[in-house]
Amino acid sequence: QVQLVESGGGSVQDGGSLRLSCAASKWIYEDYTMSWFRQYPGKEREGVASVNPLGGTKYATSVKGRFTISRDGAKNTVYLQMNNLKPEDTAMYHCAARTYQGGSIPPLSLDYYDNWGQGTQVTVSS
């Protein structure tokens, strides 16, 4: 198991930027597939971006070209850089992890991940 703590959420205006951070309690760089999900009130969490130890990434169609996921091995931290934010990006953002299972494309399916953070709120106003 790995503990995950998110930070960096906040309130921005339409078109603004935020960088979310996910600090892990142990070494993740070579051993874990990491991802970001978001959850709207009353809805199921949906995948936003993922990255695996090979450096493979996957993005939801709605965020491609605007969001970038990255890792800092020295800090055991995963980031989500969010640019050109829109009101529809308003949600609770959660970090997730699972030990690497192989493959070049990291999954973005909810049931794949078994370690979750508590989340950080992102609010984008028009």
Side-chain angles (χ1 to χ4, degrees):
Q1 291 283 13
V2 56
Q3 281 70 52
L4 305 170
V5 179
E6 303 95 333
S7 61
S11 297
V12 296
Q13 291 195 321
D14 193 353
S17 298
L18 282 173
R19 188 178 78 158
L20 306 183
S21 299
C22 171
S25 61
K26 60 195 294 184
W27 177 253
I28 58 170
Y29 199 81
E30 295 177 343
D31 299 331
Y32 282 83
T33 295
M34 306 295 295
S35 64
W36 287 95
F37 284 71
R38 63 187 178 189
Q39 188 168 23
Y40 303 108
K43 297 290 182 67
E44 188 174 81
R45 291 178 190 178
E46 62 178 40
V48 175
S50 56
V51 60
N52 67 18
L54 302 181
T57 57
K58 185 173 182 177
Y59 294 92
T61 301
S62 59
V63 307
K64 277 183 182 177
R66 299 189 299 125
F67 290 11
T68 303
I69 190 169
S70 62
R71 303 170 297 162
D72 185 331
K75 297 181 179 179
N76 286 339
T77 299
V78 176
Y79 302 100
L80 185 68
Q81 177 67 45
M82 306 187 295
N83 298 327
N84 190 22
L85 282 161
K86 305 175 182 180
E88 51 265 40
D89 295 317
T90 295
M92 181 70 76
Y93 284 72
H94 295 269
C95 180
R98 181 176 177 176
T99 52
Y100 179 56
Q101 303 293 307
S104 60
I105 306 297
L108 266 182
S109 55
L110 183 63
D111 58 3
Y112 179 83
Y113 295 91
D114 54 7
N115 296 275
W116 292 89
Q118 292 299 308
T120 185
Q121 177 68 37
V122 171
T123 303
V124 185
S125 57
S126 57

